[in-house]
Amino acid sequence: MLANLLLEIGGSMSTLGAGIGAGLAVIGAGVGISGVGGRAMEAMARQPEIFGKLQTAMIIAAALVEGAALFAIVVCLLIAGNA
């Protein structure tokens, strides 16, 4: 009985950890994308003629940040599913 209780607590703790990890990944992606966007706006305000090149680089950087966050969320969901 005690062993079953400990296994149940361990499973719920890993699910909680996976949820916290997914939340932190989303927060990190938000901070990363806001940093990319903010710096791009500053650069465009200083040099408006560079808009086209900067927009392309900004979209690529935001996609890389978003991809890393999505990968982290999938890992967290896999951990939660195995618990």
Side-chain angles (χ1 to χ4, degrees):
M1 182 164 155
L2 181 60
N4 288 338
L5 180 64
L6 290 175
L7 285 174
E8 184 178 329
I9 291 172
S12 63
M13 293 299 281
S14 65
T15 305
L16 177 67
I20 291 172
L24 288 174
V26 170
I27 290 171
V31 169
I33 291 174
S34 68
V36 167
R39 299 288 185 223
M41 291 297 138
E42 288 177 12
M44 283 187 270
R46 292 174 191 256
Q47 281 186 313
E49 66 273 2
I50 196 141
F51 174 76
K53 289 183 180 179
L54 191 60
Q55 183 181 19
T56 303
M58 181 182 70
I59 289 172
I60 291 171
L64 290 173
V65 170
E66 200 62 38
L70 183 62
F71 179 72
I73 291 170
V74 167
V75 169
C76 289
L77 289 175
L78 289 173
I79 291 171
N82 288 334

